[in-house]
């Protein structure tokens, strides 16, 4: 539906980017919903679906959709790279003047799209952010985990990420700015907050998943949380120095006391003290090394400069089922 667009009569194009992992079961319904919402906007649009190496039938569903209907660009990554990488691929391939990022599990209501587009056109905002009004049904551990994570991240980085979701509209300026950020450790939510720009918010309620279950394991969440914290704050590193200074102070005091007792001929008999000190200092050293290791790992990943994802197949709108050779983006 892109059509030829001369500069004068140029109509704004809206892109919708959707990362897909194992969502084959309900994808057709969701795509139909998204298309219906987009048609209400009366603007030309394109859909960009990124299959993040799903082992289920998601790719077949996407190809069938691409054949059956217009304006669908489909990307298939060579394996599961994770949602953030899939988003990168989608944003790289989106051509719209506004790009809407939406989950493929039905938790982000497509009915919000017309409002987002209207807000973007009327308010002149660069980013329209859908903010979780209520987090919807989720396990206590994930709710508590999210609360704790956002609290720590806010304290460490000074940015407010709470309630932020990946459901948002970005205008061309914001997308281009985002594409300038070349880091491998992508924390999409955080990076858009970091960019600033004129942002307006629109509340929405997270609905339960249409089908399937969240594929984020605790370990995956923990990894994203670590990426988020290390990418947005170097405070933990300072903490190591701080702890070092505090313990230096304590050790001077303890050293003086020990020396005094020794000189006075009343050397400490406490074996327990020695054990305790060793334990405390030992664990502190381990934690410190671990923190440094986390940053080192991030630096290592960045320095390698590998592409964030690899594309196995790319279907352009209107040319369904034409394979393109492996191409990659950074
Ligand atoms: N997703 C993905 N790659 C992954 C995991 C998830 O592209 O490795 C997609 C998934 O298909 C969905 C979105 O990311 O469209 C959000 O996933 P999910 O619902 O599992 O996460 P949650 O809503 O629990 O944050
Ligand atoms: Mg979800």
């Amino acid at each position: 539906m892109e059509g030829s667009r001369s500069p004068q009569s140029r109509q704004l194009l809206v892109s919708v980017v959707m990362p897909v992992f194992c969502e084959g079961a309900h994808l057709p319904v969701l795509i139909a919903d998204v298309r219906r919402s987009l048609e209400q906007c009366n603007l030309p649009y394109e859909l960009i679906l990124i299959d993040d190496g799903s082992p289920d039938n998601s790719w077949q569903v996407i190809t069938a959709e691409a054949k059956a209907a217009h304006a669908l660009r489909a990307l298939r990554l060579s394996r599961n790279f994770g949602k953030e990488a899939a988003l990168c691929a989608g944003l790289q391939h989106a051509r719209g003047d506004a790009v809407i990022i939406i989950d493929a599990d039905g938790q982000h209501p497509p009915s919000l799209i017309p409002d987002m587009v209207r807000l973007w056109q009327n308010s002149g905002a660069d980013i329209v952010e859908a903010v979780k009004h209520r987090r919807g049904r989720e396990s206590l551990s994930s709710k508590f985990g999210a609360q704790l994570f956002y609290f720590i991240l806010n304290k460490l980085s000074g940015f407010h990420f709470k309630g932020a979701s990946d459901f948002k509209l970005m205008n061309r300026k914001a997308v281009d700015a985002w594409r300038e950020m070349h880091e491998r450790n992508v924390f999409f939510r955080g990076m858009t907050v970091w960019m600033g720009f004129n942002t307006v918010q629109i509340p929405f309620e997270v609905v339960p998943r249409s089908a399937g279950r969240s594929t984020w394991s605790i370990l995956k969440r923990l990894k994203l949380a670590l990426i988020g914290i290390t990418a947005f704050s170097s405070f933990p590193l300072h903490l190591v120095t701080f702890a070092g200074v505090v313990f230096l102070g304590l050790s001077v005091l303890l050293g003086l006391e020990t020396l005094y007792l020794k000189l006075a001929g009343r050397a400490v008999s406490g074996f327990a003290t020695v054990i305790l000190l060793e334990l405390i200092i030992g664990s502190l050293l381990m934690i410190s090394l671990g923190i440094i290791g986390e940053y080192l790992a991030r630096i290592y990943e960045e320095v390698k400069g590998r592409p964030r994802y690899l594309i196995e197949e790319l279907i352009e709108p209107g040319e369904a089922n034409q394979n393109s050779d492996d191409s990659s983006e950074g």
Side-chain angles (χ1 to χ4, degrees):
M1 204 151 167
E2 254 171 283
S4 58
R5 290 177 281 138
S6 69
Q8 294 91 350
S9 68
R10 189 178 176 282
Q11 255 197 309
L12 297 170
L13 174 72
V14 178
S15 304
V16 170
V17 169
M18 212 190 267
V20 176
F21 183 64
C22 293
E23 314 277 9
H26 57 266
L27 205 54
V29 180
L30 185 73
I31 294 178
D33 276 355
V34 170
R35 282 191 189 273
R36 212 169 306 125
S37 298
L38 280 167
E39 260 137 37
Q40 285 172 24
C41 305
N42 289 322
L43 288 174
Y45 67 82
E46 59 170 11
L47 286 173
I48 295 123
L49 268 68
I50 308 100
D51 176 15
D52 188 14
S54 314
D56 72 342
N57 66 338
S58 296
W59 182 245
Q60 281 89 311
V61 172
I62 294 172
T63 19
E65 285 288 331
K67 267 187 212 162
H70 62 278
L72 195 152
R73 179 171 298 121
L75 303 165
R76 186 189 199 182
L77 305 189
S78 60
R79 64 168 170 87
N80 180 235
F81 279 90
K83 179 184 179 184
E84 311 287 315
L87 277 180
C88 292
L91 283 175
Q92 206 72 34
H93 286 81
R95 302 183 184 165
D97 299 283
V99 180
I100 297 171
I101 295 105
I102 183 169
D103 273 5
D105 60 358
Q107 287 194 295
H108 295 163
S111 52
L112 206 65
I113 291 178
D115 291 336
M116 291 169 94
V117 171
R118 211 169 306 127
L119 213 56
W120 162 60
Q121 287 186 300
N122 297 341
S123 70
D126 300 306
I127 299 174
V128 179
E129 188 183 27
V131 180
K132 288 174 196 164
H133 172 54
R134 239 187 276 157
R135 291 187 61 95
R137 258 193 297 144
E138 59 184 347
S139 68
L140 209 65
S141 69
S142 98
K143 200 173 264 177
F144 179 73
Q147 294 270 359
L148 184 71
F149 167 63
Y150 283 123
F151 176 78
I152 293 177
L153 198 56
N154 170 238
K155 288 287 165 247
L156 293 184
S157 71
F159 290 108
H160 290 276
F161 298 110
K162 198 155 180 278
S165 74
D166 290 340
F167 188 18
K168 58 186 79 202
L169 178 151
M170 292 161 81
N171 71 0
R172 187 40 47 193
K173 185 168 85 184
V175 172
D176 285 344
W178 190 86
R179 283 169 49 168
E180 285 300 305
M181 300 172 134
H182 297 294
E183 59 219 73
R184 304 307 86 201
N185 290 290
V186 182
F187 180 54
F188 182 68
R189 250 164 264 194
M191 282 155 75
T192 45
V193 175
W194 179 90
M195 287 198 310
F197 286 133
N198 185 2
T199 306
V200 290
Q201 299 191 326
I202 181 167
F204 81 103
E205 234 167 86
V206 178
V207 290
R209 287 181 68 94
S210 325
R213 48 200 294 266
S214 177
T215 47
W216 288 85
S217 60
I218 294 205
L219 218 65
K220 260 189 181 175
R221 272 179 215 280
L222 217 62
K223 204 172 149 204
L224 188 65
L226 264 180
I227 290 179
I229 288 173
T230 48
F232 283 92
S233 166
S234 56
F235 181 75
L237 281 176
H238 302 307
L239 208 63
V240 175
T241 322
F242 180 72
V245 170
V246 168
F247 271 72
L248 182 70
L250 289 179
S251 65
V252 166
L253 286 181
L254 210 65
L256 284 177
E257 194 210 9
T258 315
L259 211 65
Y260 169 75
L261 289 175
K262 170 103 181 143
L263 291 178
R266 294 187 284 129
V268 222
S269 60
F271 183 59
T273 323
V274 178
I275 298 279
L276 274 178
L277 273 179
E278 216 150 86
L279 285 176
I280 293 172
I281 297 199
S283 40
L284 205 77
L285 275 178
M286 292 286 193
I287 294 174
S288 308
L289 276 178
I291 293 175
I292 296 170
E294 280 303 324
Y295 283 90
L296 201 67
R298 296 290 106 76
I299 295 170
Y300 176 54
E301 280 154 20
E302 299 295 338
V303 168
K304 273 191 291 187
R306 287 195 187 159
R308 294 195 271 212
Y309 54 85
L310 293 173
I311 296 174
E312 186 172 323
E313 245 174 281
L314 172 68
I315 302 175
E316 286 288 341
E319 51 167 70
N321 240 1
Q322 201 171 7
N323 294 8
S324 80
D325 255 348
D326 287 15
S327 58
S328 60
E329 302 286 346

